[in-house]
């Protein structure tokens, strides 16, 4: 059976932690849709187009991965594209409550949609887009946190602040 999974997120910007999860999902599922979705609880630093471009440049080479932007409900999008699973990374227990709530809400909206969690690689358990932006805003070194090919663009976005 052909299995499609969605890796959703804000990806503002994509980090090495995201890339690790997406790469591992691409080994577990036939087709992976990386969805840049809107999180109305967050203020973003990069446009959807920029975030998609960053993702294309870092994981665009993976043969079974597609990158899309979508402004709407994840549960609805999953129905539209035939995805039966959502894949998310869990970094720590603190992620669990929020992710558990979203997984249950998504399943209520779309009973055919399951959520699977991959444990973050130990070296990325502290890493988030917010941490990257915070460090960059103080002119700190973000080279260990984001892919080299997008490093300068992220750094430059915050250099004037
Ligand atoms: O990287 P994030 O910000 O933690 O990802 C959260 C995201 C974008 C996956 C979540 O906010 C989402 O699914 N947004 C789409 C709208 C939606 O479906 N909202 C209901 C979630 S239960």
């Amino acid at each position: 059976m052909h299995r499609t999974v969605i890796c959703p997120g804000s990806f503002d910007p994509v980090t090495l932690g995201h890339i690790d999860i997406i790469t591992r999902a691409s080994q577990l599922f036939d087709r992976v849709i990386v969805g840049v979705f809107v999180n109305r609880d967050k203020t973003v630093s990069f446009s959807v187009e920029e975030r998609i471009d960053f993702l294309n440049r870092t994981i665009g080479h993976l043969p079974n991965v597609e990158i899309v932007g979508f402004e709407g409900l994840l549960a609805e999008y999953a129905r539209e594209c035939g995805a039966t699973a959502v894949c998310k990374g869990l970094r720590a227990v603190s992620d669990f409550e929020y992710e558990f709530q979203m997984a249950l809400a998504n399943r209520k909206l779309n009973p055919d949609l399951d959520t699977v969690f991959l444990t973050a690689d130990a070296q990325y358990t502290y890493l988030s887009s917010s941490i990257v932006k915070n460090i960059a805003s103080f002119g700190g070194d973000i080279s260990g946190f984001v892919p080299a090919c997008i490093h300068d663009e992220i750094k430059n976005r915050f250099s004037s602040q």
Side-chain angles (χ1 to χ4, degrees):
M1 191 186 280
H2 191 84
R3 299 263 179 213
T4 299
V5 69
I6 304 181
C7 291
S10 303
F11 303 109
D12 185 55
V14 61
T15 68
L16 295 177
H18 293 130
I19 290 168
D20 172 60
I21 295 294
I22 294 164
T23 305
R24 286 158 59 200
S26 77
Q27 288 154 5
L28 292 169
F29 290 89
D30 301 301
R31 178 180 173 221
V32 177
I33 299 177
V34 178
V36 178
F37 285 85
V38 175
N39 182 344
R40 293 206 162 134
D41 298 330
K42 286 184 181 170
T43 309
V44 293
S45 303
F46 297 93
S47 69
V48 171
E49 292 73 23
E50 286 174 311
R51 287 179 269 153
I52 290 176
D53 177 51
F54 288 166
L55 283 159
N56 267 316
R57 282 153 57 192
T58 51
I59 48 156
H61 62 282
L62 296 172
N64 58 342
V65 171
E66 297 157 40
I67 297 146
V68 301
F70 189 77
E71 189 166 355
L73 285 173
L74 171 59
E76 291 300 329
Y77 183 74
R79 211 175 261 124
E80 276 175 35
C81 69
T84 51
V86 170
C87 178
K88 298 215 72 179
L90 275 186
R91 290 166 298 192
V93 177
S94 51
D95 278 345
F96 181 75
E97 202 173 337
Y98 172 65
E99 295 296 347
F100 187 67
Q101 200 178 10
M102 278 204 293
L104 290 176
N106 282 327
R107 197 158 153 72
K108 176 79 178 165
L109 293 171
N110 177 351
D112 298 324
L113 189 63
D114 263 308
T115 300
V116 295
F117 295 107
L118 296 182
T119 47
D121 191 280
Q123 63 177 320
Y124 301 130
T125 48
Y126 63 90
L127 186 53
S128 68
S129 300
S130 308
I131 291 256
V132 168
K133 291 188 280 188
N134 192 295
I135 294 170
S137 73
F138 287 99
D141 180 8
I142 55 165
S143 58
F145 309 141
V146 296
C149 63
I150 60 170
H151 170 273
D152 289 357
E153 276 153 90
I154 297 169
K155 204 168 167 50
N156 293 344
R157 176 61 48 96
F158 296 97
S159 62
S160 54
Q161 293 177 1

